[in-house]
Amino acid sequence: MSTSTTPGSRTEPSTGAGDAKAARPLKALTIAMFKGFVRDRMTLFWAIAFPLMFLVLFGGIFTSQGEVDPAEVVVVGDVSVIDDAPAEAQKTIEKSVDITRSDDLDAALEKVRDGDADAVVTEEGGEVTVHYSAADPVAGAQIQGVVQAIVQQANTAVYQQSTGEPPTFMFASSQVEDDSLEQIQYVTPSLLGWAVAMSATFGAAANLVMWRKSGLLRRLRLAPVRTSSVVLARVGVSLVIALVQAVIFVGLGVGAFGLQLSGWWPLMVPLLLAGTLAFLSIGMLAGAVSKTEEGAIGLANFIVLPMAFLSGSFFPLDGAPTWLRAVSNCLPLKHLNQGMLDVMVREQGPSAIVLPIVILLGFAAVFATVSARLFRWEA
Amino acid sequence: MGVQIEVDHLTMRYGAVTAVDDISFTVEPGEFFGLLGPNGAGKTTTLETVEGLRSPTSGRVSVDGRDPAKREPDLQRRIGVQLQSSAFFERLTAVEQLQTFGAIYGVPTSRLDDLLEQVGLTEKATAQVEDLSGGQKQRLSIACALVHDPDVVFLDEPTAALDPQARRNLWDVLRGINDSGRTVVLTTHYMEEAEELCDRVAIVDHGRLLEIDTPGALIRQLDAATRIGLATEALTLEDARRLPGADSVTLGGSGLVIETREPATLLAELGRREALEGLSVSKGTLEDVFLDLTGREYRA
């Protein structure tokens, strides 16, 4: 038997682990899992960079889609309704049409025929005429609308001046998206929901298969560590990843794309936690039934990607057929997205997250139970 | 310190397949015990049952008088295991693996440097496990099995797929583990490894225990002939055949080979004739015992 100076020297094995020590295996497993995640560039890319690409794509590039380019209008001769319009009206006109001046009516009409200009406006004896091309009915209609409004406004002004009374009817228009949800307002919460769902599912599925294949699960089975500690470590890591995703998404949304958060936005945290649990358990199921990592990731993709489309992560489903919306209501991601939208941008309070959280936790419970049944320690 | 292991009429069946068929043996505290057999003989199944990974179909296994399949934490803290595959946390460094396993076993991780030195991985302490060679991984997984100072260590083919240098280095490590008083049980299909390391060897094939004894006793039991090699010039073939006690003489590429069961008489005669050029003497090995017991047909 060796003495205590040799490298193989022995210390008394610690016995009777107290409460403080009971937490150590959990902490150690969590740290090990987290380091494994952070050091893998591929998983980092899929969890952080890939969803961010979508945010930049939808939030940054497609945002300008809603705004229409000003129409090109050639004004020939004097058109008093435009020339003499009050300053405020001038601004509105400039916003919706680009005006160029010309004295040559024929040349101007030729331009419209060739598609170089959208319309020509002339005035003769109080009659304002819009010359447009049937080749571009949308632009034509737009300019007709603008000019009609200008004429109307001028008439109203004349009427008001002569009678001293306000007009009986007034027209006003308003685009719904401007008031409630601009593109970035919609895509940030719903893309974040998708990103969290994806990384929780993939993380759990790949982790489980990897550890089973390498034999680490069997090794841990022979160590004094509870199965629940292994699962809790994974939960901890996924929750941290979800919060990091939220910080990056909201930070980029607010900082770069003009995202405006409602006052209730911190309620997204409990929602994200419930969502992470739901998708972790779905990932656990994918990991329990898959033999290889590739299989697990494929299965996770097969579950999460169609779900993202059907849950409105990439575009709203308001225009979708009724049956599709019914399917959508059966998916956990739909409820996560709904809750995220409500508290992040729709000014809805705590009552808006109750139902989504209950549904998400229900999914978590069901899938966790099934995957526990199908769980295998060995490949 | 050392732990006693008892395997009592252990049988393991998987459907129609009997992987382990009524095996019994006892490993004494502090003993270095080897389970020797070809691939698929049932040695890993036996070892995994002793470790507590499997429950016997019938029979009983006990480690220090307790049932390992119950996976009681305080028994697990006294057992160190190295499984066949190198089971590591992905992308953690060697020292982080040891830290993690140490924390799982609830032991202070102050002597990790000693442990890494013991298995010759000091220079690889901060290398991620994916960057280690096969032999380095094997040594690291043995270090992981030792991190909590267990009283008994189970090693499943620790030197499989290693080159000769790496294997011999690892033997030194394994001897060191046993010298400090631990019970060590290992499986192997390398005869020389069992001969070199083990106090006692159990030879297993087709799930059955064929023989159990010290390597020396097993070889003696074999009653194998001693083989005496000589350079071709030392003696003519005819003279060699007329030597006292020579059972058979063959002339091969490396010279004359004489098989005898009376080596003392024969060697004395060779000495008298001063015909000792290129002399080599070899007795039976565990390999001969093994082949004698298990036959020579190919195995899966």
Side-chain angles (χ1 to χ4, degrees):
Chain A
M1 202 154 298
S2 71
T3 61
S4 59
T5 52
T6 59
S9 69
R10 310 181 56 78
T11 51
E12 275 306 302
S14 58
T15 48
D19 281 340
K21 271 189 176 162
R24 283 187 62 191
L26 176 58
K27 190 178 154 201
L29 282 172
T30 310
I31 291 171
M33 240 181 234
F34 195 73
K35 281 181 178 167
F37 169 78
V38 173
R39 287 176 190 174
D40 185 358
R41 296 219 180 97
M42 277 308 278
T43 57
L44 265 188
F45 171 80
W46 289 111
I48 309 284
F50 184 62
L52 274 183
M53 272 166 46
F54 276 72
L55 184 68
V56 172
L57 215 61
F58 283 100
I61 297 169
F62 297 156
T63 301
S64 55
Q65 203 180 39
E67 296 165 13
V68 184
D69 283 340
E72 302 270 340
V73 173
V74 183
V75 175
V76 179
D78 294 330
V79 179
S80 58
V81 281
I82 295 176
D83 300 341
D84 305 340
E88 205 180 311
Q90 288 279 13
K91 252 190 209 166
T92 320
I93 295 167
E94 274 165 27
K95 219 172 127 188
S96 47
V97 291
D98 261 358
I99 293 174
T100 44
R101 301 270 168 183
S102 167
D103 289 325
D104 189 343
L105 179 61
D106 289 336
L109 288 176
E110 194 57 37
K111 268 183 152 179
V112 175
R113 281 191 201 100
D114 294 346
D116 294 335
D118 294 309
V120 172
V121 180
T122 54
E123 186 186 338
E124 211 164 321
E127 190 175 283
V128 181
T129 310
V130 175
H131 308 264
Y132 68 96
S133 162
D136 192 354
V138 177
Q142 188 202 345
I143 292 158
Q144 285 181 63
V146 170
V147 174
Q148 215 159 34
I150 296 167
V151 172
Q152 194 108 34
Q153 223 163 20
N155 280 338
T156 311
V158 172
Y159 173 81
Q160 222 166 344
Q161 240 169 17
S162 59
T163 62
E165 278 176 40
T168 318
F169 297 105
M170 292 286 280
F171 171 78
S173 73
S174 150
Q175 196 185 341
V176 269
E177 283 78 13
D178 285 340
D179 277 352
S180 62
L181 292 185
E182 281 195 19
Q183 181 82 357
I184 190 67
Q185 302 286 89
Y186 181 83
V187 295
T188 311
S190 25
L191 281 177
L192 178 55
W194 166 65
V196 166
M198 193 172 70
S199 59
T201 312
F202 282 45
N207 199 164
L208 188 56
V209 175
M210 212 186 306
W211 283 22
R212 185 169 54 223
K213 246 175 71 182
S214 75
L216 187 58
L217 278 184
R218 305 172 78 212
R219 180 66 187 79
L220 290 176
R221 202 180 172 199
L222 293 178
V225 57
R226 281 186 288 268
T227 315
S228 59
S229 298
V230 181
V231 175
L232 280 177
R234 184 66 237 175
V235 171
V237 170
S238 287
L239 290 181
V240 170
I241 294 169
L243 292 179
V244 168
Q245 287 175 316
V247 167
I248 294 177
F249 261 69
V250 172
L252 196 69
V254 170
F257 300 123
L259 171 71
Q260 287 176 329
L261 290 172
S262 90
W264 288 107
W265 71 269
L267 289 176
M268 67 190 269
V269 174
L271 261 174
L272 281 180
L273 301 188
T276 303
L277 290 179
F279 285 96
L280 260 180
S281 50
I282 291 174
M284 293 269 185
L285 181 61
V289 300
S290 304
K291 286 195 169 62
T292 63
E293 281 154 76
E294 291 79 10
I297 287 174
L299 185 58
N301 238 328
F302 181 74
I303 297 169
V304 176
L305 198 60
M307 197 193 297
F309 278 99
L310 291 174
S311 303
S313 278
F314 304 123
F315 42 79
L317 292 177
D318 301 335
T322 323
W323 66 267
L324 200 66
R325 275 180 282 158
V327 172
S328 172
N329 276 326
C330 303
L331 303 172
L333 186 52
K334 151 85 187 187
H335 298 280
L336 177 59
N337 286 343
Q338 194 77 46
M340 297 284 280
L341 279 166
D342 284 348
V343 298
M344 283 176 73
V345 295
R346 280 184 184 143
E347 301 286 349
Q348 301 217 34
S351 62
I353 62 168
V354 174
L355 186 63
I357 284 183
V358 168
I359 292 172
L360 289 169
L361 292 181
F363 270 101
V366 170
F367 279 97
T369 310
V370 176
S371 38
R373 282 274 169 83
L374 297 174
F375 177 80
R376 286 167 293 141
W377 288 95
E378 304 184 14
Chain B
M1 182 51 174
V3 163
Q4 193 183 51
I5 296 158
E6 282 175 283
V7 175
D8 187 19
H9 295 289
L10 172 67
T11 297
M12 295 290 286
R13 264 186 222 104
Y14 300 101
V17 182
T18 304
V20 176
D21 189 2
D22 194 28
I23 283 184
S24 301
F25 61 85
T26 302
V27 181
E28 299 301 332
E31 193 174 14
F32 201 130
F33 189 84
L35 281 164
L36 182 60
N39 293 331
K43 48 190 198 304
T44 294
T45 309
T46 305
L47 188 70
E48 288 183 348
T49 313
V50 176
E51 289 167 346
L53 273 175
R54 301 169 190 278
S55 289
T57 309
S58 68
R60 207 177 56 84
V61 170
S62 77
V63 176
D64 201 29
R66 295 153 74 183
D67 179 4
K70 285 185 180 159
R71 305 203 290 129
E72 294 165 301
D74 54 334
L75 180 61
Q76 288 182 329
R77 285 194 186 90
R78 302 184 60 197
I79 298 176
V81 282
Q82 186 252 334
L83 301 171
Q84 226 165 3
S85 55
S86 297
F88 296 114
F89 294 94
E90 68 276 8
R91 285 176 290 281
L92 255 53
T93 66
V95 77
E96 285 170 339
Q97 305 280 353
L98 293 175
Q99 278 164 353
T100 308
F101 276 110
I104 287 170
Y105 281 90
V107 295
T109 47
S110 49
R111 33 173 226 107
L112 296 185
D113 291 343
D114 292 345
L115 201 53
L116 282 173
E117 195 190 322
Q118 197 185 347
V119 297
L121 286 177
T122 307
E123 282 164 28
K124 292 287 176 183
T126 57
Q128 287 184 21
V129 69
E130 284 80 3
D131 298 329
L132 299 182
S133 73
Q136 289 165 341
K137 277 185 194 167
Q138 291 281 30
R139 280 181 279 154
L140 179 60
S141 83
I142 290 168
C144 287
L146 298 177
V147 76
H148 58 291
D149 244 326
D151 297 329
V152 53
V153 183
F154 296 113
L155 306 161
D156 198 357
E157 301 197 356
T159 62
L162 295 190
D163 58 44
Q165 286 85 356
R167 179 175 307 144
R168 273 165 179 77
N169 288 338
L170 202 51
W171 286 355
D172 293 336
V173 173
L174 299 181
R175 259 189 227 106
I177 295 170
N178 183 239
D179 287 346
S180 52
R182 297 180 178 97
T183 307
V184 179
V185 179
L186 104 167
T187 68
T188 182
H189 55 254
Y190 295 114
M191 309 306 137
E192 83 242 65
E193 185 165 298
E195 218 174 324
E196 186 79 25
L197 293 173
C198 297
D199 297 324
R200 280 192 311 146
V201 175
I203 297 178
V204 181
D205 195 22
H206 297 300
R208 303 191 66 96
L209 183 68
L210 301 179
E211 218 40 87
I212 181 166
D213 214 326
T214 63
L218 287 172
I219 292 162
R220 278 195 298 279
Q221 270 172 36
L222 182 66
D223 189 28
T226 302
R227 293 148 70 89
I228 293 169
L230 288 171
T232 325
E233 311 87 78
L235 215 60
T236 64
L237 199 58
E238 289 74 41
D239 287 346
R241 286 204 169 114
R242 270 181 247 118
L243 285 168
D247 296 336
S248 77
V249 180
T250 46
L251 186 61
S254 55
L256 284 168
V257 176
I258 307 164
E259 289 197 341
T260 176
R261 286 188 159 67
E262 297 161 54
T265 322
L266 198 142
L267 282 169
E269 177 63 19
L270 283 176
R272 201 182 57 75
R273 296 193 191 183
E274 293 184 13
L276 294 170
E277 218 170 319
L279 176 72
S280 69
V281 182
S282 64
K283 280 191 66 196
T285 62
L286 204 50
E287 190 154 332
D288 297 317
V289 178
F290 183 77
L291 291 174
D292 185 54
L293 288 168
T294 63
R296 283 171 178 271
E297 76 271 25
Y298 282 108
R299 299 304 170 87

